[in-house]
Amino acid sequence: MNAAHDTLVRWARGARASWDAWWHTLLVGAQILVLALSPASYRAGAHRHAVLSSVYRATAPLLTWFMVLSALVSLVLIRIVVATAYSYGLSQYALEVLVRTLVLELIPLYVALFVAARYAMPGAQEVRKHLALQQREGVLPQRQALLVDQLLPRALGSLFSVQLLAALSSVVALVLTYLTVYGFSPWGFPGYTRAVGGVFTPAVTLIFGLKTLFFGLAVAVVPLAAAAQPDRLGRYTRRSDMSEFARLFSVVLLIEVVSLVGNYY
């Protein structure tokens, strides 16, 4: 009886902690979104400089290596799909399959995870470490100051990085697809643009844009919200990177599932 009671209590505490964490994430996300849409957040010179600095740090150091990696991955996938389609006599479907799988689905997904692993999550750990240090010194910042000075610039940097890298990677993938299928001949351009345009209908384009936007919001908000949440004892102790990544991945996966339902059902 005692064992069952203890198990129930632990389950209830875990459920309550999970609910509090998700509610805190939604609350911080809403506050960051309101601040991002407020012109007052960018008027002060220090705030504007912090935002621009975060945007640069979230994008410039990742740009070169990510574009090289994205081009290599795209080229491998393009060769596999094109060779498979030709071997089965389905070459007329190769372009549509490539655009749908690579550009619409894979690129936004691995861009979001890449930015999360290389910028958003390390930045969130820095925020939490800084808060822990300030707590030991007894000088914790007010919530509004924390949002404006630390969370908002990093969130905007992550959001911008996801949008920019996804756009550039999509362009590179489309160019590599054309070169792989048609080579450097200009005569395939009308058929290629017609095939790509047939995939990017208004509904699909809208869903693609919204999915990329929500991927960026998830990467921008979820790690920072977890970093700004104290534990049940009110302390800013270090959290497991794997648990935070799992929470972010669950949000990204949910967005991906919703986009798949919108595109294909």
Side-chain angles (χ1 to χ4, degrees), residues 7 36 51 66 80 116 138-140 143 186 195 251:
T7 301
V51 170
F66 178 78
I80 292 173
V139 289
L140 275 176
R143 186 172 184 83
V251 177

Side-chain angles (χ1 to χ4, degrees), residues 66-67 70-71 74 78 99 102-104 107-108 110-111 163-179 192 196 200 208:
F66 178 78
M67 294 310 299
S70 177
S74 299
I78 290 167
V99 173
L102 184 58
V103 178
L104 292 183
I107 285 178
Y110 70 68
V111 165
Q163 308 307 308
L164 179 64
L165 294 182
L168 293 178
S169 298
S170 299
V171 172
V172 169
L174 290 174
V175 172
L176 289 176
T177 300
Y178 180 87
L179 294 177
Y192 179 74
V196 173
F200 280 96
F208 174 73

Side-chain angles (χ1 to χ4, degrees), residues 140-151:
L140 275 176
Q142 296 182 352
R143 186 172 184 83
Q144 185 68 15
L146 174 64
L147 285 167
V148 174
D149 296 337
Q150 298 190 46
L151 301 189

Side-chain angles (χ1 to χ4, degrees), residues 50 52-62 119 154:
L52 293 176
S53 178
S54 295
V55 168
Y56 176 82
R57 291 198 306 269
T59 306
L62 309 181
Y119 177 78
R154 293 179 185 275

Side-chain angles (χ1 to χ4, degrees), residues 13-245:
R13 288 177 178 173
R16 176 62 183 272
S18 179
W19 166 259
D20 290 343
W22 285 114
W23 176 251
H24 183 264
T25 299
L26 291 174
L27 181 61
V28 171
Q31 291 172 327
I32 289 177
L33 185 60
V34 170
L35 289 173
L37 297 176
S38 174
S41 301
Y42 310 99
R43 287 174 183 168
H47 293 162
R48 187 184 303 111
H49 180 268
V51 170
L52 293 176
S53 178
S54 295
V55 168
Y56 176 82
R57 291 198 306 269
T59 306
L62 309 181
L63 187 59
T64 302
W65 287 109
F66 178 78
M67 294 310 299
V68 172
L69 178 63
S70 177
L72 291 175
V73 172
S74 299
L75 188 59
V76 170
L77 292 176
I78 290 167
R79 292 298 303 171
I80 292 173
V81 172
V82 171
T84 304
Y86 273 97
S87 65
Y88 286 98
L90 301 173
S91 57
Q92 68 273 23
Y93 301 110
L95 285 178
E96 182 177 351
V97 171
L98 280 171
V99 173
R100 288 189 178 276
T101 57
L102 184 58
V103 178
L104 292 183
E105 309 301 339
L106 292 180
I107 285 178
L109 182 61
Y110 70 68
V111 165
L113 298 180
F114 183 86
V115 174
R118 293 299 303 272
Y119 177 78
M121 294 185 65
Q125 290 290 356
E126 289 180 8
V127 170
R128 193 167 185 84
K129 182 178 179 181
H130 188 61
L131 288 174
L133 179 61
Q134 289 180 317
Q135 188 178 47
R136 287 195 295 270
E137 296 174 350
V139 289
L140 275 176
Q142 296 182 352
R143 186 172 184 83
Q144 185 68 15
L146 174 64
L147 285 167
V148 174
D149 296 337
Q150 298 190 46
L151 301 189
L152 178 63
R154 293 179 185 275
L156 291 176
S158 299
L159 178 61
F160 179 82
S161 181
V162 171
Q163 308 307 308
L164 179 64
L165 294 182
L168 293 178
S169 298
S170 299
V171 172
V172 169
L174 290 174
V175 172
L176 289 176
T177 300
Y178 180 87
L179 294 177
T180 302
V181 176
Y182 298 103
F184 291 94
S185 172
W187 305 113
F189 194 69
Y192 179 74
T193 54
R194 185 166 54 251
V196 173
V199 175
F200 280 96
T201 62
V204 170
T205 304
L206 176 62
I207 293 173
F208 174 73
L210 289 176
K211 178 175 71 172
T212 307
L213 175 62
F214 282 113
F215 276 176
L217 290 174
V219 171
V221 170
V222 175
L224 289 174
Q229 183 184 21
D231 59 19
R232 58 188 182 89
L233 298 178
R235 299 175 301 182
Y236 290 95
T237 55
R238 181 176 175 84
R239 292 188 173 186
S240 170
D241 291 337
M242 290 303 299
S243 63
E244 299 305 326
F245 184 80

